[in-house]
Amino acid sequence: MPIQLLVVGGAFRFPDTTKARIKPDGPIYVGLPFDQKTCAEIICAARALTKKGYRFLVKPHPMTPFPFSETSGIAQTSKQFYEEKNISALIYAASAIGLESVLLGVPTIRFIPRNRISLNILPKGVVTAVANAENLEKQLNTIQTWMSEKIIET
């Protein structure tokens, strides 16, 4: 991250970021936002993709839990994304987890809900992939292709 884009503020939330590991075929970590309707839309989009073999680890927002039924492709986690081993990407909406994910080099997608205001909390110059329910699979495929190529190159 270029030094001119960094601003120090808030609390240090990463006790040990060396645990973060990215794996192209790993599950996708979903950090649910505070908005319950956006949570429902993200879970619905994830459920549709489990039928195509995608796997998701879902962490509800700590201030606004969102109950959902776990399936073989969608599991709830209480761990922070950097504590999970071998995730392939992270999906978020209007939450600081998106910035944290980008800073740790995790492929990150900002989810845009259909009929809700979509807050972009990222600082100027920090960019992520953007997806809605209709094009989420396309963005995930783009990320997985990019990651596979990057791993082959190194």
Side-chain angles (χ1 to χ4, degrees), residues 9-152:
F12 187 67
R13 293 171 33 155
F14 298 115
D16 182 2
T17 58
T18 60
K19 295 179 184 178
R21 299 286 182 265
I22 302 166
K23 185 176 178 186
D25 62 347
I28 299 143
Y29 189 97
V30 178
L32 291 179
F34 57 88
D35 179 69
Q36 301 289 287
K37 289 184 180 181
T38 302
C39 290
E41 192 172 335
I42 293 171
I43 293 293
C44 184
R47 282 197 201 290
L49 292 178
T50 61
K51 297 172 186 168
K52 297 181 177 187
Y54 290 89
R55 295 172 296 126
F56 297 88
L57 290 174
V58 179
K59 183 168 187 308
H61 192 281
M63 300 301 288
T64 54
F66 184 80
F68 63 92
S69 299
E70 294 184 78
T71 65
S72 60
I74 300 177
Q76 184 166 326
T77 184
S78 59
K79 293 181 180 180
Q80 299 294 330
F81 76 95
Y82 52 83
E83 296 173 316
E84 291 289 354
K85 299 288 186 202
N86 302 321
I87 61 171
S88 62
L90 182 137
I91 298 170
Y92 79 103
S95 177
I97 192 173
L99 177 59
E100 296 165 357
S101 176
V102 170
L103 291 175
L104 286 178
V106 176
T108 306
I109 298 174
R110 182 167 70 100
F111 187 86
I112 308 291
R114 263 185 222 102
N115 297 312
R116 313 290 289 166
I117 293 174
S118 177
L119 302 174
N120 183 4
I121 57 86
L122 297 178
K124 183 180 177 181
V126 178
V127 180
T128 66
V130 177
N132 56 30
E134 288 75 32
N135 68 358
L136 181 57
E137 181 179 18
K138 179 181 177 186
Q139 290 292 8
L140 287 169
N141 285 335
T142 300
I143 283 174
Q144 288 175 336
T145 300
W146 174 81
M147 284 191 52
S148 295
E149 291 169 357
K150 184 175 174 106
I151 288 171
I152 290 168

